[in-house]
Amino acid sequence: MTAIAIEGLDVWFGTGRDRVDAVRGVSLAVGQGESFGLVGESGSGKSTILRAITGLAPDWSGRIAVEGLNLRGTRRTRAFFKRVQMVFQDPYSSLHPRHSVDAVLSETLHLHGLSDVDRRVPKLLDDVGLGGRFRFRYPHQLSGGQRQRVAIARALAGEPDILLLDEPTSALDVSVQAEILNLLTDLRRDRGLTYLLVSHDLPVVGHMCDRLAVMRAGRVLEVMDVARLRDGTPETTYSRELLAASGGPHATEGTR
Amino acid sequence: MSEPLLDVRDLHVRFPTRQGVFEAVRGVSFTLGRERLGIVGESGSGKSMTGRAILRLIRPPGQVEAARIALEGTDLQSLSERDMRKVRGQRISMVMQDPKFSLNPVMRVGDQLIEAYRLHRRGGRAAAHRAAVEMLEAVSIADPDRVMRAYPHEVSGGMGQRIMIAMMLIPDPRILIADEPTSALDVSVQRQVLTIMDDLVRDRGMGLIFISHDLNLVAEFCDRILIMYAGRVVETCEASRLHEARHPYTRGLLDALPRLDRPTDRLAVLRRDETWADAPSVGS
C-alpha cells in the first residue's frame, strides 16, 4: 500500500498580485516502509509539501492521501496524528522552554488518549537513547542533540506509521548528526516506519533514503533511486549541478 | 614568511558564570601570514570566540587575556578603544554568518558601502560611489546599479553575503576573518560565494581566517587548518593533508559525515575522550 500519495498538488500563499505559488503540480508516491527524500534549495517548496500534509498550509489543491484516506483542508483528525507525526528542524524552537521533558511527553501521550503515562514516558526516553535521568529536565538543560531526541520521542509517542522529517539534523554538529541519523535508522528498522525526509544535504539524503525527488521552484524535476545519486548520474542538469555544489562523489575528485 | 601578519600567543577567553569561571578559549597560539587559515570545530569549541577576541569584540563580563595579539608587530591589546576602532574594518575586517543580521535593514546597500568607504578613506562621495560599484562588480554582482539602490531585504541571501564581503573589503584590510560566512546559504551558492571571497583575498595578498564547522569546505578553501576542541587546538595540518589527520577527534569528525561514495548502514559515532580537553594546545 502507498503510505503517502500526492497528485497534482498546488500550494500557494497570498492572493492576487501577492500570490506566491510555493508548490506547483507535484505528484509523488511514498510506499509503506519506504524512506523518501525531498531535496532542493531554500524556497523550492520541499518543506511546504510536509506542511500541506500536516494541515499547516492554509491554501492547497490537488490530492493528498495518507494510507488510502484523502485529506481535505487544514483540519486533521486525532486518528491522522496517530499515524503521521512531524519532526522539525530546530529543536531549540520546537520544544516549549518552560515545559519539562516529562510535561511534553505526558501531554502528548494524554492527547493520543493513551493511559499508563508513567510507564510510557521512561520507555519513550529509552527508545530515543536518553534514559530516565532526563525526564524532569527543561529544554535549556539539554544539548541540541538531546533536544532533538526529545522531539523524536514526542513524535513517537502515539506510535505513528509515518514520520515527516523536516531537516532534522541541519541545526546540529556533525558528530551529533551521526547519532541522530543512526537513531532514525534504528527506529525505522525496528518499527517499520515510513519516512518523508526533507533536506538540503545530499549526502544525508543519500544515507537515509531509498528514493528522492529533486525540487526546484515548486516543481519536482525528477525522482530517482539513491543509487543514481551515488553514481552521480541524475537525469537533469540541475540535479547534477546540485550534486556538484554539495561536493558530490564525482564533482570534486582530485581536489581532496 | 618573514613577519607574520598576525601573531596570537596563549589566548584565553573567560566568562564568569554562577557555577564559576567558564573558559571558552584556553591557551590558543597561532600565526597568520598571507595565507588562508581555517579554524574548525564544533559548537562550543571556542572557534568564534577566538575570532572575536582578535578584534576585541568580547564584551564584559567576558575577559580576554593573551601573551600577545600582534598585528604586523603592534600588540592590539595595548591600543585604546579609539585606535582599535581604526583597526576594525580598516586593517582587520570580519564577515559573519547571516547577512540578514549584519546589514542595516533600513539603509540602502549603496549607502552602506559608501559609508564603509568614507569611514576609512578620504575622497568625495563620487569617488566613494565609484569604488562601491566597482566592489560590487568584483563580487560578481551583475547589475550593481540596481543593487546600490536596493534595501537588504530585496536581495537574496547569497547576494547579501557577497555585499557583506564587498563592504568588508572596500577599506582594503590586511586580514579578513570570515566566521561561518556561508552557513546560512544554500549549498548551491556556498561555493560560489567562497570562490569569490577566495579570489579577492588572494589577489590582494591578504590573510584569511576562515572559521567553520565544515571540515571539507575548509579543506577546500584554506592552506592550513587548526582543529579546535573544548577551547584548545588539538591538531594543526596542511589542508591538502586533512585526510591524513591523526587526532582521534579530527578522525571522528571526518568519519561521522555521511558520504555518497561510501554507503554504510550506520555512521561512525564520535567517542569523546576526556583527555582531549586536558591535553595542551598544539602551537603553530
Side-chain angles (χ1 to χ4, degrees), chain A residues 12-123:
Chain A
W12 64 93
F13 299 101
T15 52
R17 264 177 49 198
D18 295 331
R19 175 168 155 147
V20 176
D21 290 287
V23 176
R24 309 186 221 198
V26 164
S27 299
L28 298 169
V30 182
Q32 200 90 56
E34 191 182 14
S35 177
F36 192 94
L38 288 174
V39 303
E41 296 176 67
S42 37
S44 61
K46 54 194 195 305
S47 295
T48 306
I49 293 179
L50 298 194
R51 301 182 75 84
I53 296 171
T54 47
L56 292 169
D59 298 306
W60 62 277
S61 68
R63 177 173 175 258
I64 307 177
V66 169
E67 295 178 343
L69 286 173
N70 284 325
L71 303 177
R72 270 170 229 289
T74 55
R75 292 201 47 103
R76 299 287 177 268
T77 58
R78 286 199 175 186
F80 172 84
F81 286 118
K82 280 207 79 153
R83 290 198 189 119
V84 182
Q85 280 288 314
M86 183 138 156
V87 176
F88 295 89
Q89 172 170 8
D90 186 356
Y92 293 86
S93 55
S94 69
L95 294 179
H96 194 298
R98 303 194 51 163
H99 286 184
S100 66
V101 172
D102 182 65
V104 167
L105 298 180
S106 305
E107 187 182 3
T108 311
L109 288 165
H110 182 73
L111 285 171
H112 284 302
L114 294 163
S115 53
D116 59 350
V117 167
D118 250 0
R119 191 183 57 81
R120 283 179 189 265
V121 170
K123 169 83 171 55

Side-chain angles (χ1 to χ4, degrees), chain A residues 41-42 173-175 177-179 181-182 185-186 200 202-204 206-207 229-230 242-243 245-247 249 256, chain B residues 41-43 186-188 191 213 216 220 243 253 256-270 272:
Chain A
E41 296 176 67
S42 37
D173 276 321
V174 290
S175 61
Q177 165 172 286
E179 292 169 15
L181 293 182
N182 283 345
T185 304
D186 294 346
H200 66 278
L202 289 176
V204 166
H207 176 69
L229 183 71
R230 291 192 193 292
L242 205 61
L243 189 57
S246 63
R256 298 247 169 98
Chain B
E42 296 187 278
S43 38
D186 273 319
V187 273
S188 48
R191 275 182 170 70
H213 67 282
N216 287 319
E220 203 173 317
H243 58 278
L253 286 184
L257 281 170
R259 288 179 57 159
L260 285 169
D261 53 346
R262 259 189 234 158
T264 53
D265 287 341
R266 295 181 64 82
L267 297 165
V269 170
L270 180 68
R272 288 159 204 277

Side-chain angles (χ1 to χ4, degrees), chain B residues 3-6 32-36 55 70-74 76 86-94 168-177 200-209:
Chain B
E3 191 191 19
L5 283 174
L6 187 71
L32 175 76
R34 284 171 222 291
E35 62 176 332
R36 302 167 301 161
L55 277 172
L71 171 67
E72 294 178 308
T74 326
L76 296 179
K86 288 184 190 148
V87 171
R88 289 188 202 117
Q90 203 160 3
R91 297 175 69 197
I92 307 179
S93 57
M94 189 159 183
M168 291 301 117
L169 293 186
I170 226 175
D172 215 3
R174 313 296 303 132
I175 297 172
L176 180 67
I177 301 176
L200 289 169
V201 164
R202 282 208 255 193
D203 288 351
R204 292 159 177 243
M206 293 169 57
L208 171 72
I209 299 179

Side-chain angles (χ1 to χ4, degrees), chain B residues 68-139:
Chain B
R68 194 172 149 82
I69 306 178
L71 171 67
E72 294 178 308
T74 326
D75 199 324
L76 296 179
Q77 297 178 98
S78 64
L79 296 183
S80 67
E81 191 50 39
R82 191 194 165 99
D83 288 335
M84 195 60 212
R85 270 204 292 275
K86 288 184 190 148
V87 171
R88 289 188 202 117
Q90 203 160 3
R91 297 175 69 197
I92 307 179
S93 57
M94 189 159 183
V95 175
M96 307 222 195
Q97 181 166 351
D98 197 334
K100 278 205 283 289
F101 302 117
S102 309
L103 293 167
N104 184 341
V106 294
M107 199 170 161
R108 289 181 197 274
V109 165
D111 293 336
Q112 297 187 53
L113 285 166
I114 289 168
E115 183 185 40
Y117 181 87
R118 296 187 77 186
L119 270 179
H120 298 291
R121 280 206 228 172
R122 289 165 193 286
R125 225 190 130 74
H129 190 274
R130 246 190 336 269
V133 170
E134 276 169 20
M135 203 61 230
L136 287 178
E137 281 167 353
V139 292

